[in-house]
Amino acid sequence: MSLPIALAALLLVGLVVAVVTAPLRSAERAPAQDAAQAAAQEAAERAAEELRELEAERDAKYAEIRDAELDWRTGKLSPEDYAAVDAALRAEAIGILDRIGAAGGQTASSTPAAGREQPPADASAAPMRPAPAAAPDDPPSLERTPAPSPIAGEKP
Amino acid sequence: MAGLGFACLLLAMGVCLYGIGAAIYGVRAGRPEFSISARRAVYALAIVLTVAFGILEVAFLRNDFVFNTVADTSSRTTPAAYRAAAVWSSQEGSLLLWAWLLSLWSSLALFLTRRRMREVASWATAILLALDGFFVGLMIFYADPFATTHPAPAEGVGLDPLLRFPTMMIHPPMLYSGYTLCTIPLAFGMGALIARRIDADWIRAIRRFAFAAWLCLGVGILLGARWSYAELGWGGYWGWDAVENASLMPWLTATAFLHSLMIQEKRGMLKVWNMSLVLATGTLAVMGTFLVRSGVLNSIHAFGGATLGVPFVTLIGILIAASIYLVVSRREVLRSEHRLDSLISREAAFLLNNLVLVGLCFVIFWGTYFPLISEAVTGQEASVGPPWFDRYTVPLALVLVLLSGIGPIIAWRRATLANARRNFLAPTLAALVTLGVLLLAGVQGRPGALAMFSIAAFVFASVAQEFARGVRARRAMAGESAPRALVALVRRNRRRYGGYIVHVGIAVMFIGVAASSSFQHASELTLTPGHSTKVGAYTIRYAHPTATLTPRYDQEHTGSTLGLGAVLDVTRNGRHVAWLHPSEGFYAAQDMSQGSVGSLIGGQPVSHISMDAGITRDVWAAIAPDIEAPQLQRIVKIGNATLHPEDALVALGFLARAYVKNPPPAQFHFIVSPLVMWIWIGGLIVLGGGLIAVWPAPGMARARVAARVRGRADRGLARV
């Protein structure tokens, strides 16, 4: 192996060692924690992870609520079935929001309660009444008589 | 430079071993700095393998024949673009490509999940490094891409002529991207099982990579089919070849997974099923690599010859055993949270769709591995050909396409019979009308094809109905014009409507498959110039012969020494349709045993087909000229006896002129295939729908930006 190539190899090894050991060196330089501090930090990280998981559940539930509304508005669900499914989903979502609240997180539900529009008897025949103005990407309101949202986006 | 390349492999192995240890120690001992170090080891691995790949790529581009892989698969006369792609035409280079791509995708996956799923990501890091370490180990101990020969030969062997085709430059990287991306969900799935954390966050992370794997594998499979159709001389796009099947199987299980994951996300059901699908997809991807690289099954694709079978079988055995152990031992976290509400629901349709997809995979698996199993048990070779595969896959494919039309028009959770009747009416009518029209038009005798056309009409009508109703609902809600409502509807419901577009694409593809396989006209015969034959509705006349000599006339860069072909006049009802120019390329042999002239054309001949492709049909032609004809062989014999190798091209010039002046009868293969183009068009529609489905929604992108801004502001306030 020629000298330039050997130097290149050494440089690469040095780069790899620097990249890989950086977190270990940072941890060494950080002030030492006692057992209580370490346990508290670990608990905080677990709580943050649990909160992220609840938020992912919440977002998935919002998407389900929108999907159900889209199914109703495109005539795949009868008004009675939609009412039942929607109520069940909203109850599940409220349960998740309660758990988020208990975990100390902020919820995204801030739409004030409004009169709930009853689904028409025949979704395909009755004219669709326009919804009250709402930002397209607001999460669905989860109060007992929420305003219906426009067909909003779903998370990928 | 070869030494540096091998040093990179050794360094890569060291990084893998360190990373595996650091990841496991970090998560077991609760030392997050070691988990982070392990993740950085993956980044470092990507850097090291990029350097290694770059060294090999430069060696190919510079024609550095000291490298054995360069000498074996490239030459000075190979065009630069093909030289760049020749890196992965050898076993050694393709192993390096696999390891490199895996390191890149692993780095991306771990970077995107760096703040989430700490425990799961740590275990996934260890598993991904173990997989990459396996491939690096294969290169170090079995198939070294940096092996050299001194002194270097003056010229290389050249690229296999079959691989001198544009789609072959991208087909292996796409396929390998698909295979390597399949191992990301495998690793995160195993990690989730080990950590006992299967939750919504895991679903969100894993779905993206499963989708990317599905997309890349699908594109790779389609490119391979296109290469087979447009380059190989048999006129087909799918032959149920072992390597083709090896790529289709993980694609089928990935398709099943993407559908049933939605059920787990919504209802907390099918956890065992989904986890099994994830693990099976990753394992099938490794098995597919095993089939290609070990040469264990005969295939026109497989050109690996090294003894990689034992290490691969060991790895596959470990993956299968570990998967079974993890699923069984963690079954308490895989318990379903709900039950199926109704058999008339989208969940039920997805379940059925999953069963069909897995059934298809099982049939293909059995047909692909049966020869190996049979040989192992009985000692005798057995073969399973296209008729066997068609017998079982065609009915399943019909059911699958039908379900792709049913799913969109049925609701989640439950649907009433009255609603179902209303939603099914128009699509069913469309299917029946299509069937009626085809029968009245005289399209008969092919029940499978007729069924597929009718079912495809059902799919188109059901998706169109969904779009129409969605636009109508959107217009009623937001008062938008129809085009704006359509755009907004798709933008805000990308997964749903992107998925519908994918279904349309699949139906279009199957229309092309059904039509081209059921209504094809083919003919194999011998013709002399001036004579013609009828193929379907077309008359093909052999106008005159052609002959070309490299390098001056080899405009297609086929690398052939001599090309003999024909000009064909294609007409229909007396009207000229197209000119076709099929030829056969004759290549130089590896040794001089056939004489100075004979050796110039003594290598494996390769057919270069000619095709007139259209929306309604393709007219395809291949030629096998009779180079053994006495008048041509006389020239070769005289040349062998009288000419030195450096003058032998002169004799080929005489041979070419003799062929054009007095051509012997040539063997032709003609095919007229209806609607083949719709296979490729359908593939593009699938790709487009897939990209729409996976694109982040506008609200998500805004929310992420807003969150980052809030985070920066929070940190800024904290410092004050």
Side-chain angles (χ1 to χ4, degrees):
Chain A
M1 197 185 281
S2 66
L3 185 60
I5 290 175
L7 285 173
L10 275 173
L11 198 65
L12 192 58
V13 170
L15 177 66
V16 164
V17 169
V19 164
V20 166
T21 59
L24 305 178
R25 285 182 275 117
S26 297
E28 268 183 18
R29 281 197 296 269
Q33 290 179 328
D34 61 22
Q37 280 176 322
Q41 190 175 353
E42 174 73 16
E45 280 168 3
R46 285 208 181 277
E49 198 158 311
E50 207 180 302
L51 186 61
R52 272 195 296 273
E53 157 57 21
L54 287 170
E55 287 170 349
E57 264 190 67
R58 175 202 63 200
D59 293 342
K61 197 56 62 179
Y62 286 166
E64 261 198 272
I65 292 171
R66 293 190 193 96
D67 269 344
E69 184 188 353
L70 187 54
D71 281 350
W72 163 54
R73 291 195 181 276
T74 53
K76 287 195 285 293
L77 269 180
S78 67
E80 298 77 25
D81 280 340
Y82 171 58
V85 166
D86 186 61
L89 289 173
R90 287 173 189 268
E92 288 167 17
I94 286 171
I96 296 170
L97 292 175
D98 288 342
R99 283 154 59 201
I100 288 175
Q106 299 296 311
T107 71
S109 174
S110 56
T111 310
R116 180 176 181 172
E117 179 179 351
Q118 292 300 315
D122 182 350
S124 64
M128 304 279 190
R129 277 166 284 172
D137 296 317
D138 275 353
S141 168
L142 297 173
E143 297 296 331
R144 284 211 171 271
T145 56
S149 64
I151 297 170
E154 62 183 24
K155 304 273 189 297
Chain B
M1 289 304 280
L4 180 58
F6 192 74
C8 285
L9 294 181
L10 293 174
L11 180 58
M13 180 58 91
V15 168
C16 288
L17 291 172
Y18 166 77
I20 292 167
I24 295 173
Y25 177 70
V27 72
R28 296 288 302 259
R31 298 283 300 272
E33 64 273 20
F34 279 89
S35 296
I36 297 169
S37 178
R39 190 176 72 234
R40 281 169 161 251
V42 176
Y43 303 160
L45 180 66
I47 293 170
V48 170
L49 289 177
T50 300
V51 171
F53 193 83
I55 290 170
L56 196 59
E57 192 69 70
V58 166
F60 269 88
L61 290 171
R62 288 173 52 195
N63 295 315
D64 195 344
F65 300 124
V66 157
F67 289 76
N68 291 351
T69 55
V70 179
D72 290 341
T73 55
S74 185
S75 65
R76 293 181 200 284
T77 57
T78 304
Y82 289 129
R83 283 208 304 273
V87 173
W88 47 79
S89 67
S90 68
Q91 181 175 69
E92 298 84 354
S94 63
L95 287 173
L96 181 56
L97 177 68
W98 216 102
W100 178 52
L101 286 173
L102 178 59
S103 70
L104 292 179
W105 295 127
S106 301
S107 298
L108 181 64
L110 292 171
F111 177 76
L112 290 174
T113 54
R114 65 194 182 283
R115 294 203 180 94
R116 302 180 356 228
M117 304 187 295
R118 256 185 337 131
E119 225 180 310
V120 173
S122 281
W123 288 110
T125 301
I127 293 163
L128 289 168
L129 283 170
L131 281 170
D132 231 325
F134 171 81
F135 281 89
V136 171
L138 285 182
M139 286 187 279
I140 290 172
F141 297 110
Y142 289 95
D144 178 12
F146 302 104
T148 55
T149 297
H150 293 279
E155 175 62 295
V157 168
L159 186 64
D160 188 326
L162 285 175
L163 303 179
R164 286 186 179 229
F165 193 71
T167 55
M168 286 314 289
M169 292 170 60
I170 186 78
H171 161 67
M174 288 304 294
L175 214 56
Y176 277 28
S177 289
Y179 282 150
T180 49
L181 281 164
C182 283
T183 61
I184 308 289
L186 168 89
F188 275 82
M190 284 187 165
L193 284 171
I194 296 171
R196 290 181 159 86
R197 295 187 70 91
I198 294 147
D199 47 36
D201 211 14
W202 173 83
I203 289 174
R204 200 155 62 175
I206 215 173
R207 180 176 39 234
R208 262 187 279 191
F209 285 95
F211 200 92
W214 178 87
L215 210 58
C216 288
L217 263 183
V219 170
I221 290 168
L222 212 59
L223 287 172
R226 176 71 191 169
W227 168 74
S228 173
Y229 181 64
E231 177 72 3
L232 298 183
W234 68 290
Y237 43 78
W238 192 265
W240 295 111
D241 178 75
V243 170
E244 292 170 339
N245 299 343
S247 60
L248 183 59
M249 286 187 278
W251 187 85
L252 289 170
T253 52
T255 306
F257 174 67
L258 288 173
H259 285 86
S260 61
L261 190 61
M262 281 190 257
I263 301 179
Q264 181 174 339
E265 189 178 28
K266 289 176 186 308
R267 308 302 319 284
M269 292 162 51
L270 300 183
K271 291 182 185 179
V272 173
W273 178 256
N274 282 333
M275 194 55 79
S276 303
L277 282 175
V278 157
L279 300 178
T281 301
T283 306
L284 284 168
V286 174
M287 288 178 82
T289 310
F290 157 66
L291 276 184
V292 177
R293 293 275 65 86
S294 68
V296 66
L297 289 174
N298 284 332
S299 164
I300 58 169
H301 296 76
F303 42 87
T307 53
L308 301 185
V310 170
F312 264 109
V313 167
T314 306
L315 173 65
I316 291 164
I318 291 171
L319 285 174
I320 292 172
S323 301
I324 294 171
Y325 168 75
L326 284 171
V327 170
V328 169
S329 64
R330 265 63 171 174
R331 54 190 183 282
E332 77 281 359
V333 298
L334 296 173
R335 208 160 281 135
S336 281
E337 294 162 26
H338 296 100
R339 292 171 162 254
L340 202 61
D341 280 342
S342 163
L343 286 177
I344 309 174
S345 64
R346 194 173 284 188
E347 288 93 325
F350 275 26
L351 259 175
L352 199 49
N353 140 296
N354 263 239
L355 289 173
V356 172
L357 284 164
V358 171
L360 264 171
C361 181
F362 177 76
V363 164
I364 296 168
F365 182 93
W366 183 250
T368 305
Y369 285 94
F370 173 71
L372 194 63
I373 297 165
S374 170
E375 194 177 338
V377 170
T378 66
Q380 284 178 336
E381 265 190 52
S383 67
V384 175
W388 185 92
F389 284 100
D390 289 344
R391 190 181 319 144
Y392 299 104
T393 58
V394 167
L396 288 173
L398 286 169
V399 174
L400 191 65
V401 177
L402 179 63
L403 287 171
S404 75
I406 289 174
I409 55 176
I410 205 164
W412 289 105
R413 294 211 175 197
R414 68 184 81 175
T416 58
L417 275 175
N419 252 18
R421 270 198 295 271
R422 192 167 51 234
N423 293 327
F424 275 66
L425 181 62
T428 307
L429 276 176
L432 292 173
V433 164
T434 301
L435 182 62
V437 164
L438 288 172
L439 287 171
L440 284 172
V443 179
Q444 295 185 13
R446 300 282 192 270
L450 285 172
M452 185 57 80
F453 297 147
S454 308
I455 290 170
F458 180 95
V459 174
F460 297 149
S462 78
V463 171
Q465 179 179 272
E466 274 302 290
F467 272 90
R469 287 183 177 177
V471 167
R472 194 165 65 223
R474 174 85 198 167
R475 290 188 72 192
M477 298 301 294
E480 292 165 334
S481 66
R484 281 184 72 123
L486 176 62
V487 169
L489 183 72
V490 173
R491 271 183 74 229
R492 295 178 184 286
N493 299 279
R494 285 165 199 255
R495 272 172 59 195
R496 178 185 283 237
Y497 288 95
Y500 292 169
I501 294 170
V502 168
H503 287 189
V504 166
I506 295 287
V508 169
M509 284 178 69
F510 272 104
I511 287 176
V513 169
S516 60
S517 52
S518 300
F519 299 101
Q520 191 186 80
H521 294 278
S523 175
E524 282 193 55
L525 76 167
T526 303
L527 284 177
T528 50
H531 287 94
S532 60
T533 184
K534 207 153 163 48
V535 185
Y538 295 85
T539 302
I540 303 178
R541 185 176 64 88
Y542 180 4
H544 60 83
T546 60
T548 56
L549 271 183
T550 198
R552 194 169 159 199
Y553 298 105
D554 184 21
Q555 291 175 352
E556 299 296 320
H557 299 296
T558 62
S560 60
T561 318
L562 172 73
L564 299 178
V567 174
L568 303 171
D569 182 16
V570 181
T571 58
R572 182 179 174 155
N573 298 327
R575 199 179 310 173
H576 172 77
V577 171
W579 294 104
L580 298 180
H581 304 87
S583 67
E584 184 150 90
F586 297 92
Y587 294 79
Q590 296 295 304
D591 55 63
M592 295 294 290
S593 60
Q594 297 176 66
S596 56
V597 177
S599 297
L600 283 180
I601 53 173
Q604 179 69 32
V606 173
S607 179
H608 300 292
I609 66 109
S610 183
M611 177 166 50
D612 179 55
I615 289 286
T616 56
R617 87 303 171 267
D618 285 2
V619 181
W620 182 101
I623 184 174
D626 183 11
I627 200 157
E628 299 300 322
Q631 68 266 39
L632 302 178
Q633 285 302 306
R634 198 162 46 239
I635 297 172
V636 173
K637 277 197 185 106
I638 294 170
N640 282 344
T642 58
L643 292 174
H644 293 295
E646 53 270 20
D647 301 322
L649 212 56
V650 171
L652 286 189
F654 278 113
L655 193 153
R657 276 196 287 277
Y659 184 82
V660 170
K661 197 170 163 193
N662 186 19
Q667 186 79 12
F668 287 94
H669 185 186
F670 299 127
I671 299 175
V672 176
S673 276
L675 305 185
V676 176
M677 179 149 317
W678 291 95
I679 298 173
W680 323 122
I681 292 173
L684 287 174
I685 295 172
V686 169
L687 177 64
L691 289 174
I692 289 172
V694 81
W695 210 262
M700 276 290 289
R702 279 202 296 275
R704 276 199 291 269
V705 168
R708 281 200 295 272
V709 168
R710 271 201 302 277
R712 281 200 291 271
D714 289 344
R715 285 194 295 275
L717 285 170
R719 281 198 291 271
V720 168

